Amino acid sequence: MEKVLDITSNDHIIMIDKLCKRILGHPEILGRIIKGFIKEAEDVSLEEIIELIKGKKDQEGNSYFQQLNNVIDIAHHGRVEFDYFCCINLPQADGTMKRIYLDVEIQNVENPGYAPLTRGNDYLSRMITSQNGKEYDYRNYDGMKKTYVIWILPQAAKKRDGHVNRINSKLENVSGSTIERLESYDKSEQIMIYLNKDHDIKNKYEDSDWIKTPLVIFLNNTYDLLIKKEVMKEYGFEEIEKEVKKMCNLGEMIARENIEKGHSMGLEQGLVQGQKLERIASIKNLMKKMAIPLDKAMDLLDLSSIEKEEMKKHFQS
């Protein structure tokens, strides 16, 4: 996970990183991600997926879900660290069970100097290789389980807000009409979920709003707890308040420290940045609570013309 805010210190980046990973792994969030974007989960209800993640076991006492070591270190091939790595056994309509391996990544920078999908290919390869000797070996490659990398981009450009891309293997008949079994080549998939941090929660996403809006709100450390509680209530969350409250507290701490200490940017810059964050938070609160447009909220806060132009640029970006 890349840095979340340019103004945060390394310690804050680490704290936000850990909180985001805890939110990703929460059963009510992870369950929605799996239900919304994993094809093998289409015959399983959200409630059942959440129960599986919480530790439900089969008749033999084996758990359906397991959080895995997020570090894979292959000799002579380097080390990678995933944001949240797990596997889950998903019941199918025909009575069988399908196990999938899943890595969920938060990517705050859309273009970090390379395409995240190319990094995802490396991750998928390692996730498959790590199954060697466990799920399959040289005598039975068919035991290989499908792997997913889901990219969540919570600070994507506004023009891409709500977009989802699915990248997987496709069969092409170059000559003739022979069809290969889907299970023999459908072993890896990447999903890109683009979200804009300034998404207006009054405007529902056309599809999968029940997971996209919570991700936008819960993974953003500038929304206050009141707004997040409203989202929890509206979208039926029951147990995630502790995690999102910590994210709110951290956001408040960062804004306060920007004002009091000026951060590493210097006191004057820190004061300006901290005041800007407070103005943004105040505007969002007014727009949400009073259901008023941006211009009216800025008038109520008695912003100067220069401040208004700056806020307009921020909300339009």
Side-chain angles (χ1 to χ4, degrees):
M1 176 180 172
E2 310 296 335
K3 64 181 180 179
V4 178
L5 295 173
D6 289 339
I7 59 170
T8 58
S9 68
N10 287 336
D11 287 343
H12 290 156
I13 294 170
I14 293 170
M15 292 166 70
I16 293 172
D17 181 80
K18 289 181 177 178
L19 282 173
C20 286
K21 290 174 183 177
R22 286 184 62 179
I23 290 172
L24 282 182
H26 193 284
E28 292 189 79
I29 287 290
L30 185 61
R32 288 176 184 240
I33 292 172
I34 291 173
K35 178 59 182 174
F37 303 105
I38 300 298
K39 290 185 290 188
E40 289 78 5
E42 60 185 16
D43 295 320
V44 192
S45 70
L46 173 60
E47 293 72 21
E48 185 175 358
I49 294 172
I50 291 175
E51 288 303 311
L52 297 180
I53 296 171
K54 286 182 175 180
K56 182 178 178 180
K57 297 182 178 180
D58 60 23
Q59 294 180 345
E60 286 73 37
N62 300 312
S63 296
Y64 287 85
F65 174 83
Q66 184 179 0
Q67 182 179 354
L68 301 171
N69 186 346
N70 67 330
V71 175
I72 293 182
D73 194 348
I74 301 175
H76 311 298
H77 293 279
R79 178 181 186 271
V80 298
E81 184 172 347
F82 304 127
D83 279 354
Y84 192 88
F85 186 32
C86 63
C87 68
I88 185 170
N89 293 341
L90 295 166
Q92 303 298 295
D94 61 4
T96 61
M97 195 75 64
K98 282 192 177 181
R99 177 177 299 172
I100 62 104
Y101 283 75
L102 170 64
D103 167 39
V104 185
E105 293 285 326
I106 302 176
Q107 178 69 30
N108 282 288
V109 180
E110 283 191 73
N111 184 10
Y114 56 83
L117 285 172
T118 57
R119 184 167 124 213
N121 285 327
D122 176 57
Y123 285 12
L124 288 169
S125 298
R126 292 170 186 271
M127 290 162 66
I128 290 176
T129 302
S130 69
Q131 297 177 31
N132 195 320
K134 301 173 185 177
E135 303 287 2
Y136 73 91
D137 57 27
Y138 69 95
R139 294 163 296 188
N140 179 28
Y141 284 97
D142 286 345
M144 186 184 297
K145 302 299 186 289
K146 187 171 180 179
T147 58
Y148 282 87
V149 174
I150 295 182
W151 296 94
I152 300 172
L153 293 86
Q155 298 192 56
K158 193 170 185 178
K159 63 183 179 180
R160 284 187 276 277
D161 187 27
H163 295 189
V164 177
N165 289 333
R166 186 183 296 272
I167 302 93
N168 53 24
S169 300
K170 299 291 185 181
L171 172 68
E172 178 186 359
N173 286 122
V174 177
S175 178
S177 58
T178 298
I179 301 298
E180 309 292 347
R181 290 188 310 115
L182 179 66
E183 293 80 7
S184 66
Y185 63 86
D186 183 29
K187 296 299 182 183
S188 63
E189 193 162 309
Q190 293 192 67
I191 298 166
M192 306 288 288
I193 304 171
Y194 294 90
L195 304 169
N196 180 263
K197 63 183 177 63
D198 296 318
H199 176 79
D200 185 349
I201 60 176
K202 295 192 295 295
N203 297 328
K204 305 302 182 184
Y205 288 106
E206 292 182 2
D207 59 86
S208 303
D209 178 74
W210 53 281
I211 179 58
K212 291 177 182 177
T213 290
L215 284 173
V216 167
I217 300 302
F218 295 162
L219 295 177
N220 192 325
N221 66 354
T222 59
Y223 285 102
D224 63 27
L225 186 58
L226 177 62
I227 292 177
K228 294 188 178 185
K229 279 188 173 182
E230 290 176 359
V231 170
M232 282 185 261
K233 182 178 179 180
E234 180 181 355
Y235 289 82
F237 287 86
E238 298 177 356
E239 302 175 4
I240 197 171
E241 182 173 339
K242 180 171 66 174
E243 284 78 7
V244 299
K245 185 175 182 179
K246 287 183 178 180
M247 181 68 83
C248 290
N249 291 341
L250 179 57
E252 292 172 2
M253 180 183 72
I254 290 170
R256 184 170 61 251
E257 288 187 1
N258 285 334
I259 296 173
E260 294 175 352
K261 297 180 181 179
H263 251 357
S264 60
M265 300 165 58
L267 180 59
E268 185 175 351
Q269 268 188 298
L271 284 168
V272 171
Q273 187 65 44
Q275 290 165 354
K276 179 180 178 181
L277 285 174
E278 287 195 330
R279 281 197 297 271
I280 292 169
S282 297
I283 290 171
K284 286 181 177 178
N285 284 338
L286 284 174
M287 292 172 67
K288 170 65 178 177
K289 294 175 184 176
M290 300 179 66
I292 57 176
L294 174 62
D295 288 339
K296 181 64 175 177
M298 292 192 295
D299 288 340
L300 289 175
L301 291 172
D302 197 25
L303 298 187
S304 68
S305 57
I306 294 176
E307 289 172 329
K308 286 181 179 180
E309 287 302 315
E310 185 180 19
M311 290 298 104
K312 285 180 180 179
K313 290 179 182 179
H314 172 81
F315 281 89
Q316 290 171 358
S317 62

